Amino acid sequence: MAVTVDAVILTVRDDALHVLLTRRRDAPALGELALPGVFVRADEDLDDAARRAVRAKAGVDVAVRQFRAFGAVHRDPRARIISIGFIALVVADRLAEVLDDDHRLVPVERAMSGGGSGEGPALPFDHADIIQAAHSYLRADLDTSAFSFGLLPDEFTLRELQKVHEAVRGERVNKPAFRKRLLDSGKLAGTGRRDVGGKYRPAELYRVATETAA
Amino acid sequence: MAVTVDAVILTVRDDALHVLLTRRRDAPALGELALPGVFVRADEDLDDAARRAVRAKAGVDVAVRQFRAFGAVHRDPRARIISIGFIALVVADRLAEVLDDDHRLVPVERAMSGGGSGEGPALPFDHADIIQAAHSYLRADLDTSAFSFGLLPDEFTLRELQKVHEAVRGERVNKPAFRKRLLDSGKLAGTGRRDVGGKYRPAELYRVATETAA
DNA sequence: CAAATAGTGTCTCTAAGACACTATCAT
DNA sequence: ATGATAGTGTCTTAGAGACACTATTTG
């Protein structure tokens, strides 16, 4: 009975949620795109194993979040392998460097239904189910914790935050209501600074509030 | 690397959420109250293992719901054991028959903080954490699925349903709002019948709506 | 009729969606 | 000044909480 962790590394690119798939270097499904995963070592916590997988495949060291275990008897043809699913959120820019033919960003919509590239074959194992469960978890978690801020850089504008919410939820969000809700939630702390790169009126930059006020 | 499932068997008794703890028959923590659990067999799905554990310890065959995996390296002193946590919901009456000195119902509040009986020692392993996570999961799930109806018999009154919600959430619920919300949700189907046992005005009996209307 | 619970009407308040407006900055 | 985006005010609507009321059944 072996235990692995599978990492669902998510990012927002072109206003759509994408998942990082990597080409398998081992049988089965050798050469196919799949979720990166590692076997859990005997002296390693599950979270540490997930972070190790993310570091190895995406080159970043970020917080991870467990969302479910997958253990159907025949999910892996080799042997009985139980996998714990983890989500890792990364800013798209930080992922761009590692992308190549073996490391591809695929829209979650496509990954869940069809295959990894184009309308190709479906993902191996139960990876499509795992991605679907991860997406569902993240959508529910958007408003209940601060984990989802991992999809943004340290400082961000409210517009960018709204875009992230829209990408994860898959639908438009009402601007005034969104701004009021987030600003009143106490999760955001305004830096004095403004967004410099824009071509028009610069937006206020915010960061995640440090847990201070009581 | 071994994999177990731990079952958090919950029920509502005396308007409070209780968890079923069983006296361990093996080392370590032999003789102490703990969550019932079993090792996952090689040819057995995780859900099936959880149902097997519930059937063995509570004598009932009910739906189970996975909520999280627990895999800290030293959570079990014997060896590296990863446990998948499952919730099972049972009507208190059906549990009454199996209760004895080795099968005790303990309020979740007490089980999470102190020990299994009285203000006794803490639960072994990370079982207090597991119960806390289960409680948290169920509270969040109350309004999003129909799973929580497992805490009630097939037919129930709105008053009983409200009591269940109050027990899980740990706080009073507004009656008119609760009734309107639940009746409008389409999750309930009114049977023509009334509650017979009561001493005063009999209440309408409802059951979970079968997924028909589209 | 008295008691006790079942079920509802009303008022208020909060939050969200729709829409349009004002504010600000780059060019 | 123009254009495009940042940010806000207002109106409406939906839903929850508070409170009190009516309705129904048993004894």
Side-chain angles (χ1 to χ4, degrees), chain A residues 12-13 35 45 55-56 58 62 65 68 73 79 81-82 88 94 105 124 130 133 135-136 161 188-189 196 207-208 211:
Chain A
V12 173
R13 190 178 67 175
L35 289 175
D45 282 345
R55 210 181 312 119
V62 296
R65 180 87 135 225
R68 204 212 269 178
V73 172
I81 298 186
I82 286 160
R94 301 196 54 184
L105 271 186
I130 296 180
H135 185 200
S136 170
L161 182 57
L188 300 182
V196 289
R207 53 168 57 249
V208 180
E211 309 271 357

Side-chain angles (χ1 to χ4, degrees), chain A residues 174-177 180-181 194 198-202:
Chain A
N174 186 268
K175 183 165 74 158
K180 247 187 292 187
R181 185 161 50 85
R194 299 286 187 85
K199 304 207 296 191
Y200 300 100
R201 172 178 178 181

Side-chain angles (χ1 to χ4, degrees), chain B residues 76-213:
Chain B
D76 190 307
R78 286 171 290 181
R80 183 68 194 281
I81 298 186
I82 286 160
S83 181
I84 320 287
F86 277 82
I87 296 175
L89 303 181
V90 186
V91 184
D93 297 344
R94 301 195 54 183
L95 224 48
E97 322 163 353
V98 304
L99 293 184
D100 56 25
D101 185 60
D102 289 349
H103 302 75
R104 316 235 341 224
L105 272 185
V106 177
V108 289
E109 286 302 333
R110 194 202 297 163
M112 289 189 309
S113 58
S117 57
E119 291 301 331
L123 295 184
F125 312 106
D126 51 359
H127 286 191
D129 296 334
I130 296 180
I131 293 170
Q132 176 154 17
H135 186 199
S136 169
Y137 179 92
L138 183 63
R139 204 161 32 202
D141 189 71
L142 258 192
D143 296 316
T144 59
S145 86
F147 178 62
S148 58
F149 289 107
L151 288 168
L152 287 170
D154 284 349
E155 301 195 346
F156 49 86
T157 68
L158 285 183
R159 170 101 181 133
E160 291 167 336
L161 182 57
Q162 182 176 347
K163 286 277 191 188
V164 162
H165 277 242
E166 288 175 343
V168 172
R169 301 181 45 177
E171 59 184 14
R172 300 305 302 262
V173 165
N174 186 268
K175 183 166 73 160
F178 178 79
R179 299 175 70 93
K180 249 186 290 189
R181 184 162 52 84
L182 266 292
L183 289 176
D184 292 350
S185 73
K187 288 182 188 169
L188 300 184
T191 77
R193 280 188 295 285
R194 300 286 188 83
D195 185 20
V196 289
K199 303 208 296 193
Y200 300 100
R201 172 177 177 180
E204 180 97 25
L205 282 172
Y206 292 85
R207 54 170 52 249
V208 180
T210 58
E211 309 272 357
T212 51

Side-chain angles (χ1 to χ4, degrees), chain A residues 29-147:
Chain A
L30 192 149
E32 292 182 34
L33 289 175
L35 289 175
V38 299
F39 284 89
V40 178
R41 294 174 181 161
D43 61 345
E44 182 183 46
D45 282 345
L46 298 178
D47 295 26
D48 293 332
R51 269 199 300 274
R52 176 164 61 88
V54 174
R55 210 181 312 119
K57 303 293 183 173
V60 293
D61 199 356
V62 296
V64 297
R65 180 87 135 225
Q66 183 204 315
F67 62 96
R68 204 212 269 178
F70 297 83
V73 172
H74 298 298
R75 60 177 293 278
D76 191 308
R78 287 170 291 182
R80 183 67 194 281
I81 298 186
I82 286 160
S83 181
I84 319 287
F86 277 82
I87 296 174
L89 303 181
V90 185
V91 184
D93 297 345
R94 301 196 54 184
L95 225 47
E97 321 162 352
V98 304
L99 293 184
D100 56 25
D101 185 59
D102 290 348
H103 302 75
R104 317 233 344 223
L105 271 186
V106 177
V108 290
E109 286 301 334
R110 194 202 298 163
M112 288 188 311
S113 58
S117 56
E119 291 302 330
L123 294 184
F125 311 106
D126 51 359
H127 285 191
D129 296 335
I130 296 180
I131 293 170
Q132 176 153 18
H135 185 200
S136 170
Y137 180 93
L138 183 64
R139 204 162 32 203
D141 190 71
L142 258 192
D143 296 315
T144 60
S145 85
F147 178 60

Side-chain angles (χ1 to χ4, degrees), chain A residues 160-200:
Chain A
E160 293 167 335
L161 182 57
Q162 182 177 347
K163 286 277 192 189
V164 163
H165 277 242
E166 289 175 342
V168 172
R169 298 181 46 177
E171 58 184 15
R172 302 303 303 262
V173 165
N174 186 268
K175 183 165 74 158
F178 179 79
R179 298 175 71 92
K180 247 187 292 187
R181 185 161 50 85
L182 265 292
L183 289 176
D184 291 351
S185 73
K187 288 181 188 170
L188 300 182
T191 76
R193 281 186 295 284
R194 299 286 187 85
D195 185 19
V196 289
K199 304 207 296 191
Y200 300 100

